[in-house]
Amino acid sequence: MSVNAFAIDDGEDITLIDTGSSNAWHPTMGFLPQALSEAKIAVDRIRTVAFTHTHLDHIQGLVLPDGGDGFPRLARLLVPRPEVDMFRSEARLSRFHDRAQPLDPGQRLSANIEALAAPGHEIGHTCFRVTSGGETLLAWGDLVHVPSLQFDRPEVAWEFDADQEQARATRLRILALVADNGWCAAGAHLDSPGVGRISRSETGFRFEPL
């Protein structure tokens, strides 16, 4: 399963949506530092990190496998408000506990990035709408886990959804929002490159990677 993070570059600083799992989960994950290097993104340009939610494959990348800070010039750390206590329960991230700032739906991270509520997978699960040059991209976190199944059958829930009924309703609502408005979508668990367009099909939706 792909685990993606997304860097949004406004020409000055970079906002990073999620950070991957570092060495806190499976050994085939946690390659965000290498991916940033491959994309020629200097980590000292990343000043804001915002989480879609606080599951370990999204937050643990704050700390490198060697114990160092993943983002040495981090100035703002945004955590969905209902999950701040969950974040602060992660012992491995203890030095970041007091730096966490609560994030609310409708809050703007910048002129081009807005937080949208998407609860279900987790209590504070959040999407980020990014607008630029007349186009919109929605970084939707864990809205879809199994692309080969859940686009065609979006009613299918995932074992690790905290509230499966709410997650199902949120998925249907947001897939329709993205498809009907012609937005692009960026998903944490979409297959590489993790970004594409959504359209409606006879039975559900269709994903076309960029």
Side-chain angles (χ1 to χ4, degrees):
M1 183 172 66
S2 294
V3 178
N4 304 315
F6 297 96
I8 302 165
D9 189 345
D10 66 6
E12 295 182 8
D13 296 329
I14 291 176
T15 296
L16 186 67
I17 307 298
D18 294 331
T19 65
S21 60
S22 187
N23 61 333
W25 206 13
H26 299 296
T28 55
M29 300 179 180
F31 289 99
L32 180 61
Q34 293 92 322
L36 290 170
S37 177
E38 182 179 329
K40 296 180 171 56
I41 296 173
V43 293
D44 62 3
R45 290 189 61 214
I46 297 173
R47 307 301 308 282
T48 296
V49 168
F51 294 131
T52 57
H53 62 298
T54 57
H55 290 180
L56 64 83
D57 54 324
H58 297 259
I59 66 174
Q60 295 289 347
L62 287 173
V63 176
L64 297 172
D66 65 6
D69 286 357
F71 313 102
R73 295 191 65 216
L74 183 65
R76 189 169 52 157
L77 179 61
L78 300 173
V79 180
R81 186 180 293 275
E83 299 185 38
V84 170
D85 287 344
M86 297 165 66
F87 175 78
R88 290 175 176 161
S89 71
E90 292 288 336
R92 183 174 179 274
L93 305 178
S94 60
R95 64 181 179 269
F96 294 98
H97 289 175
D98 291 340
R99 299 178 65 182
Q101 302 174 31
L103 172 71
D104 295 305
Q107 182 174 332
R108 285 195 170 275
L109 283 63
S110 69
N112 302 99
I113 308 173
E114 180 185 9
L116 301 180
H121 176 61
E122 193 46 85
I123 187 171
H125 189 253
T126 298
C127 298
F128 295 92
R129 180 167 55 194
V130 184
T131 56
S132 179
E135 295 189 298
T136 299
L137 176 142
L138 190 70
W140 69 25
D142 282 13
L143 192 79
V144 169
H145 286 87
V146 186
S148 61
L149 175 64
Q150 288 179 297
F151 284 114
D152 192 49
R153 297 183 58 195
E155 75 279 4
V156 175
W158 173 249
E159 179 182 3
F160 299 107
D161 289 336
D163 183 329
Q164 292 188 346
E165 288 299 323
Q166 190 176 45
R168 180 180 293 112
T170 293
R171 181 163 46 256
L172 288 165
R173 173 177 60 85
I174 290 182
L175 283 170
L177 180 68
V178 174
D180 294 346
N181 286 282
W183 298 353
C184 289
H189 301 302
L190 298 182
D191 299 333
S192 180
V195 181
R197 294 192 180 276
I198 311 298
S199 59
R200 290 184 179 268
S201 68
E202 291 183 5
T203 59
F205 297 87
R206 183 181 299 108
F207 176 69
E208 300 175 7
L210 293 181

